[in-house]
Amino acid sequence: MSPLDRYLWREVGAAVLGGLAVIVLAFIGGYLYEVLAPLLQRGADPWVVAQYLAFRVPDALVRGLPIAMLFALLLVLSRMGEESELKAFLAGGISPLRVLFPLLLLAAVLFISGVLIGESIAPKATQSGQSLLRQAVFQKPRALLAPGSTFTDAYGRILYVGQADEGGIGGVRVITAEEILLSERAHFEGGQLVLEGGSRVTYAGSRPRTVARFERGTVPLVELAQDAPGGLSALTLAELHSRIRQYRQSGLPYHAELTAYYRKWAEPAAAFAFTVFAVGLSFFLLGGSRNLGMVGVVVLTFFYYATWSVGRIMGEAGALPPLLAAWGPGTLYAVAGAVLLGVGRR
């Protein structure tokens, strides 16, 4: 490795580590604010919440790696442009492509790291965090269940909780296509939700067929799955592929699963697109004696995060083709970077 390569790796690598620490903390803060803060307000155990946040760090690390790469490249190359280092490279016969090559190698390291963590540590940690929340629901349901919570029980039935307060659990609905169980009072007992009397309504098409009363009913919760954050990120590529195949054979929609499958590759691969974009932009601005500045760095980094979030939502909803939703944001930066490199060379 040449002195130039070592210099670029050292400067960009240090900025990647610093940016990654900030971005991971931002993701963890988002999990806390959106999901876990309401649980703390309702009396959840802070130690359980802290453990869950720790389990989400690997997933935040995978998501944060490409964003940290973009931030670091823009920051370092912008500084090098301001301090005339890039001009010195050009004066010494070092082309933009010569600067690009070692940075692409660094992007390859981040890509491989992201894929490996995303396929090994992150899914297991996310699953452990979800399991932790499920156990917390069993142990302290009134604190962790909010009115309107929806679950899936061991039989695949939809379980709706209408009330969860100091008075107990109530307004429970157990729903399938053929019947609904209605109970105004319920409690957790031995891994099961016990319905304290209610009604069973069966349907023929859209019309009620029979109505019967019952004194006691049980809903098995051994496989209870609460919709915790990071649902599909807890699956590996093989698990996502298997689920997509099953849904396709059953005629069920699989937009969310296919989007998540493509994103498993597209998110780490975005590091390559960011490298091309950052190098192209830095040398392009050099021609007009302009510099990006910290505000520009933050804006361009946030723009990727915004398109990344919108693409995910639209892909999961089926509003965008999953392939475009996953690969679109990174491709946009790669194309822009290639154009800037071409203009800069001229």
Side-chain angles (χ1 to χ4, degrees), residues 180-218:
I180 297 180
L181 303 180
L182 310 173
S183 179
E184 294 306 316
R185 307 305 307 165
H187 67 274
F188 283 96
E189 180 181 301
Q192 300 183 106
L193 182 65
V194 178
L195 308 181
E196 301 170 1
S199 302
R200 177 177 179 267
V201 183
T202 61
Y203 287 84
S206 60
R207 296 185 176 182
R209 183 173 59 184
T210 63
V211 179
R213 294 286 303 176
F214 63 87
E215 295 299 324
R216 176 185 171 93
T218 58

Side-chain angles (χ1 to χ4, degrees), residues 118-207:
E119 278 296 286
S120 57
I121 301 174
K124 293 179 181 179
T126 301
Q127 291 169 8
S128 298
Q130 292 174 335
S131 176
L132 185 70
L133 283 187
R134 288 196 293 269
Q135 292 301 318
V137 169
F138 293 151
Q139 297 170 4
K140 203 173 183 182
R142 287 197 300 272
L144 298 178
L145 289 178
S149 297
T150 303
F151 301 89
T152 302
D153 74 354
Y155 299 126
R157 300 177 297 186
I158 297 174
L159 174 62
Y160 171 84
V161 177
Q163 174 189 343
D165 53 29
E166 294 302 323
I169 300 170
V172 178
R173 306 291 185 265
V174 183
I175 306 169
T176 68
E178 296 80 21
E179 68 176 15
I180 297 180
L181 303 180
L182 310 173
S183 179
E184 294 306 316
R185 307 305 307 165
H187 67 274
F188 283 96
E189 180 181 301
Q192 300 183 106
L193 182 65
V194 178
L195 308 181
E196 301 170 1
S199 302
R200 177 177 179 267
V201 183
T202 61
Y203 287 84
S206 60
R207 296 185 176 182

Side-chain angles (χ1 to χ4, degrees), residues 206-251:
S206 60
R207 296 185 176 182
R209 183 173 59 184
T210 63
V211 179
R213 294 286 303 176
F214 63 87
E215 295 299 324
R216 176 185 171 93
T218 58
V219 179
L221 304 179
V222 176
E223 300 295 333
L224 178 65
Q226 185 183 20
D227 288 334
L232 291 177
S233 66
L235 303 178
T236 63
L237 284 168
E239 291 169 337
L240 284 170
H241 185 268
S242 176
R243 181 178 293 193
I244 291 167
R245 186 177 63 252
Q246 292 173 0
Y247 284 11
R248 184 185 289 120
Q249 292 173 350
S250 303

Side-chain angles (χ1 to χ4, degrees), residues 300-315:
L300 288 173
T301 304
F302 177 79
F303 179 76
Y304 167 73
Y305 179 75
T307 56
W308 171 81
S309 300
V310 172
R312 176 183 62 82
I313 294 171
M314 296 184 70

Side-chain angles (χ1 to χ4, degrees), residues 28-193:
I28 296 299
Y31 301 146
L32 179 61
Y33 176 77
E34 294 178 6
V35 179
L36 301 177
L39 302 184
L40 288 170
Q41 292 174 358
R42 291 197 298 271
D45 187 353
W47 174 239
V48 171
V49 173
Q51 287 179 289
Y52 178 80
L53 290 177
F55 281 125
R56 293 310 305 272
V57 168
D59 182 65
L61 188 65
V62 173
R63 296 178 182 275
L65 273 173
I67 302 176
M69 182 65 168
L70 175 60
F71 177 82
L73 285 168
L74 292 173
L75 185 66
V76 171
L77 292 176
S78 176
R79 177 192 62 77
M80 293 174 68
E82 292 177 8
E83 298 178 0
S84 299
E85 290 186 48
L86 297 182
K87 290 183 179 180
F89 289 166
L90 294 176
I94 299 175
S95 68
L97 294 180
R98 178 64 184 84
V99 175
L100 177 63
F101 179 72
L103 296 178
L104 285 175
L105 290 180
L106 179 58
V109 172
L110 297 183
F111 170 75
I112 295 172
S113 300
V115 171
L116 291 178
I117 297 174
E119 278 296 286
S120 57
I121 301 174
K124 293 179 181 179
T126 301
Q127 291 169 8
S128 298
Q130 292 174 335
S131 176
L132 185 70
L133 283 187
R134 288 196 293 269
Q135 292 301 318
V137 169
F138 293 151
Q139 297 170 4
K140 203 173 183 182
R142 287 197 300 272
L144 298 178
L145 289 178
S149 297
T150 303
F151 301 89
T152 302
D153 74 354
Y155 299 126
R157 300 177 297 186
I158 297 174
L159 174 62
Y160 171 84
V161 177
Q163 174 189 343
D165 53 29
E166 294 302 323
I169 300 170
V172 178
R173 306 291 185 265
V174 183
I175 306 169
T176 68
E178 296 80 21
E179 68 176 15
I180 297 180
L181 303 180
L182 310 173
S183 179
E184 294 306 316
R185 307 305 307 165
H187 67 274
F188 283 96
E189 180 181 301
Q192 300 183 106
L193 182 65

